[in-house]
Amino acid sequence: MRILTHNFMQCPRSKSYPMRLVPTEVETVETEYSGEFIEHMLKRLNWDVLRSTASELELGELPETMPESEESNPEAFKLLHKILMETHVKSGTLVSGDGSTTYQINNYIANMMTTSTDPSTSNEQQKESEDVDME
Amino acid sequence: MRHRVVENKSCVDRGSTPLARRKFLHILISKHSVGFQRIKNTLLMGTDYGTHNQRPSAFPVKDGLFKQRDSARAGTITGRERKRIQRVDLVGVVRFLMMRFLVLFRGTFQGFRHPEFCSLVRLIGGLERADAFQGLQPCWKGEGNEETRQHGDVFQWVELDSLEEARRIASRSVLIRAIFICWGCGRSYQECLDNVLETDPDMEPLLSDGDESFKCVIDGFGRSYSYDDQISKMTFFTPVLSKLKAKVRLKKPAHEIWIMEDVFPSKGHRHIPDRSEQPRQVFLGLKIADGGHHYASSYTLKRRKYIGTTSMDAELSFIMANQAVVKPGSVVMDPFVGTGSIIISAAAFGAEVIGSDIDMNVLRGKEDRDIRSNFSQYNLNFPAGIIRCDLLKSPWRDGSVSGGWLDAILCDPPYGIREGSRSFNEYEVPEELKAGHIPQTKRVRFSDHLVNLLDFAAKNLVVHGRLVFWLPTTPDYSDEDVPTHACMKLVSNCEQVLTMRFRRRLLTFEKFHSLERAELDSELVRLTYGERSTKSAHTNFAATVLRQQHRREETLELPRRK
Ligand SMILES: C[S@@+](CC[C@H](N)C(=O)[O-])C[C@H]1O[C@@H](n2cnc3c(N)ncnc32)[C@H](O)[C@@H]1O
């Protein structure tokens, strides 16, 4: 899961936003830079949440106010690219704003079920869905 | 018999050949010192440009215009009417400046051709261009029933702004084989040849003897020819081809001239026409663009490492991404992502993708094969998020992002044939049991997914963002089965017949105004769909198609909705 996605997520149970992202394993995957993409995402992102997440994860300090354009602050754009596009959370947890629920991230997959599960035992659910599976 | 020739001639009058059009444009620009863009703007602004008497003699004249101009001459019109007439003439000017192309489609998914093409016009040219787009015109205007027409419909006329536009549309379309500048056409070889000679199309750049090279391709829709047959068909066009100075080169020629036939088998559309049968349409054209079918073949499920029973065919996934006008940098979500087959196509077009599903096993995959490994297989950037969640209890900040945040939503919702529609039961689990707890799921009515999906789309899409999904149905389908939402406009609805009892429809919705605006009118925001869901063809879809009574949805309790 990338930080980009985190910015749009809320706790499905308490509806609190944002959730605290506590990664235990983070990977950086280099991707081609596109200033255009960052610019068009900026309008949709919650800047304060992004800024505090970036600083909590020690990814870098973003300016207090959202940069207007690439020309006005090219460094911030480069940093945004690294934060939004290149940082992948492989494992960790997402904690709802009120601290009531913890969701696991394992193998890049965030498990947002409203009841927590042990990933190793969900085979039984598979059986249940095979009952439905016709082919 | 004259029908086709006459029609093609009138298209030449309107300047279908690049030369005539260039000439006309030249006159227009030099005499009136205006650019094409200005003519277009004039048209859009509704004010008039130029005067009638300065119009070049080749001015396009449509039937309706004749009458109006006659009445103008007779002096029976008012000032306001005159203004309108001048506007109509400008429509003529712009249409005249449009180039007419011949589009050759592949034989599959007929119903999807027009919607895909329109979506691509929108993708390349934007909203305004899409509004002005006149649509495809089938070349086959002859008699015949539905089947004979469908067969001939692989050939379509289209008017576009430029070669560039045609090329860009073709390169994204998985249904187009190629686009041509048509040099001539007719109902037989002779008619086609006569038509080419009579209209004398612009054959640049093949007329100069520089480095240009070309080859001839014979294409019979639905049949192939022996070498001798091909040679004799080419020699038939010697009067035309002999004018060309460019070299003939069979390997990697710079240009291809296609001789295309539409032979409708006399035994019916399911048969292959036999060799003696005569074509009912013949076209000669210069190919200017290839279609994008390579997307479907290079992403075929046959060679994909991680697939499941519900994986979407690559070709259809690309059609879905085209329907959704996905472009580089679009943010695209599949809330029923399964093995990720639909988001692959969006990612291949450069989108940032997010997928979610309720089933952890399908997301996790098998051994080293999963959604991510598919993305690596195709060298695509990894998804921005793979989330396990129940769409009915969504973890997305829906609505609170003003104006939405997704450019498109693509999906194949669960309808209980292969994958059940289900949702988690919500209940408290004591803390000490949580670690090993397996949450209970329950079956959910399909219509609840539909209502929820439209609602989800209305909340999360940006304005003009699109929702594209499959609606499973039966032959009992009626248009009333299509769900409605105050913010969402149905753009297209095409059927794919799978078996006698099982069909599905690809529905494309566009969010046409913001949720806030719709909420002003709370009457409108009401989902009209859920109330009558028991009558629609897809209710009890699984029960009907599988003939299993225990799958009937009436037994399911109505979900609580806030
Ligand atoms: C028809 S399949 C789509 C498969 C997908 N196109 C693919 O590439 O494999 C429907 C999917 O929806 C999932 N599903 C069922 N109920 C759901 C729910 N309430 N929320 C989210 N996903 C659900 C199923 O697990 C299944 O994978």
Side-chain angles (χ1 to χ4, degrees), chain B residues 310-312 334-342 357-359 362 389-392 412-415 419-423 449:
Chain B
T310 55
S311 295
M312 181 62 58
D334 179 351
F336 304 108
V337 74
T339 56
S341 55
I342 298 174
D357 201 287
I358 201 167
D359 183 354
V362 74
C389 68
D390 179 351
L391 190 66
L392 300 173
D412 182 17
Y415 37 81
E419 290 297 332
S421 305
R422 33 191 70 234
S423 168
H449 273 299

Side-chain angles (χ1 to χ4, degrees), chain B residues 215-229:
Chain B
K215 77 167 177 185
C216 246
V217 175
I218 315 286
D219 186 76
F221 174 55
R223 67 172 173 184
S224 54
Y225 294 103
S226 69
Y227 182 72
D228 289 346
D229 277 347

Side-chain angles (χ1 to χ4, degrees), chain B residues 44-56:
Chain B
L44 291 170
M45 309 284 288
T47 50
D48 49 0
Y49 140 79
T51 53
H52 283 313
N53 49 16
Q54 282 174 317
R55 198 186 312 112

Side-chain angles (χ1 to χ4, degrees), chain B residues 446-447 450 471-474 476-483 529-541 544 553:
Chain B
F446 182 70
S447 56
L450 280 189
L471 177 75
T473 81
T474 66
D476 298 329
Y477 164 85
S478 83
D479 283 343
E480 282 169 29
D481 294 352
V482 176
Y529 180 69
E531 291 147 29
R532 52 171 309 282
S533 61
T534 40
K535 294 180 222 125
S536 31
H538 52 257
T539 310
N540 293 321
F541 179 76
T544 315
E553 291 181 358

Side-chain angles (χ1 to χ4, degrees), chain B residues 278-336:
Chain B
Q278 288 305 311
R280 54 178 192 177
Q281 300 188 85
V282 179
F283 303 86
L284 181 73
L286 176 68
K287 186 171 87 177
I288 54 128
D290 278 310
H293 189 252
H294 58 91
Y295 282 115
S297 41
S298 46
Y299 287 84
T300 171
L301 293 185
K302 281 186 208 131
R303 287 188 293 276
R304 191 173 301 170
K305 298 225 176 75
Y306 178 54
I307 56 169
T309 48
T310 55
S311 295
M312 181 62 58
D313 173 64
E315 184 164 4
L316 290 169
S317 300
F318 280 102
I319 293 176
M320 289 175 81
N322 279 338
Q323 283 298 106
V325 292
V326 170
K327 48 178 169 264
S330 296
V331 184
V332 177
M333 181 187 284
D334 179 351
F336 304 108

Side-chain angles (χ1 to χ4, degrees), chain A residues 117-130:
Chain A
T117 36
D118 181 339
S120 62
T121 51
S122 43
N123 285 342
E124 236 167 274
Q125 205 204 311
Q126 168 78 14
K127 275 193 213 111
E128 211 192 312
S129 68
E130 266 165 17

